[in-house]
Amino acid sequence: MTDFFQDQPLRIAGYRFSSRLLVGTGKYKDFDETAEAIAASGAEVVTFAVRRTNLGQEEGPNLLDVVPPERFTLLPNTAGCYTAKDAVRTCKLARELLDGHKLVKLEVLGDDSTLYPNVVETLKAAEELIKDGFDVMVYTSDDPIVAQELERMGCCAIMPLGSLIGSGHGIQNPHNVRLIIEQSRVPVLVDAGIGTASDAAMAMELGCDGVLMNSAIAHARQPVLMASAMKKAVEAGREAFLAGRMPRRQSADPSSPFAGRING
Amino acid sequence: MQIQLNGEARDLAPDLTVAQLIDSLGLTGRRIAVERNEEIVPRSEHPTTHLVDGDRVEIVHAIGGG
């Protein structure tokens, strides 16, 4: 942020973050690239997946050594879960893995080809997790009524998709995202679909509280450079939102005065 | 006895504890979490939790994901 302006922190479930860019840890070439990209992104919240340990293989470096819980706010996710039951189990395993950590990213998917959220299972899982004391940041469709219901249940952040996970198609329905932003009293973050810096800026200009992305950085030709671009895009979009854009006009409006022209 | 470990059958000495299983896998001290028959086995209970024939055990860790 520019030095004359101090933004409010992003507040989620009692945490306060100065960065509004949240990043994933998947699809990188190796852990060095993961670490460099995260550093360049300035992200304070980092999401990861929970999977079976490879047994009988030499255990290499662990992701949690690359993103130590002492330095980052870790956000375990339930990626790959297709039922509420599996998502709840995964969150409980993550809580055990991180010694009681309560903040999770809930996503329950509908099918393999779209990875579209299954909102019925998502609602079930959210209810159970909240009852069990989890702070639930929820990945959902861009349906404002579903978003409203998830907020009513007690989710601490609503995270509608911009477009399909990993598609890089940007925000396909900005009107819905705006409806969700306008109605929500908890933070709204676009999660999924961001392709490039202008998509992230657009999310923030719409009034999102933050953006979560993985592929847009990890699958860029130069991930570390893209991470840096995303940091700036999120900051620029946030400042533009707060500054308030000029009204759109039907006709031109010169920036230089008419008076005093030499041909006048 | 036989258990299902991360989805695969595995023969183990009877009366093994979760801590002993973890040790035999070379995972002691690693950042892992253990579930037995779909219930978490808290770290503090690894030494006192005895496995029985037919148990379904999951051992998980953190990996890259978005």
Side-chain angles (χ1 to χ4, degrees), chain A residues 25 49 52-53 77 89 96, chain B residues 35 43 58-59 61 63 65-66:
Chain A
T25 50
R52 286 172 167 166
T53 302
N77 65 53
R89 279 175 70 193
E96 166 67 11
Chain B
E35 186 193 63
R43 224 178 297 280
E58 297 287 346
I59 301 179
H61 66 164
I63 66 149

Side-chain angles (χ1 to χ4, degrees), chain A residues 24-26 47-53 55 59 63-64 69 77 85 89 92-93 96-97 99 105 107 214, chain B residues 5-7 10 25 27 30-35 38 40-43 46 58-66:
Chain A
T25 50
T47 185
F48 69 88
V50 175
R51 290 291 181 272
R52 286 172 167 166
T53 302
L55 302 173
E59 185 93 350
L63 178 69
L64 297 184
N77 65 53
K85 184 185 159 192
R89 279 175 70 193
K92 288 179 178 174
L93 281 162
E96 166 67 11
L97 188 64
D99 302 312
K105 170 184 156 178
E107 65 177 273
N214 189 153
Chain B
L5 177 59
N6 285 4
R10 188 172 283 239
L25 296 167
L27 295 174
R30 299 283 182 177
R31 297 189 202 243
I32 54 169
V34 180
E35 186 193 63
E38 302 187 6
I40 298 296
V41 183
R43 224 178 297 280
H46 289 184
E58 297 287 346
I59 301 179
V60 301
H61 66 164
I63 66 149

Side-chain angles (χ1 to χ4, degrees), chain A residues 59-78:
Chain A
E59 185 93 350
N62 189 295
L63 178 69
L64 297 184
D65 299 328
V66 179
V67 283
E70 305 77 41
R71 272 184 40 214
F72 294 94
T73 298
L74 294 183
L75 182 64
N77 65 53
T78 64

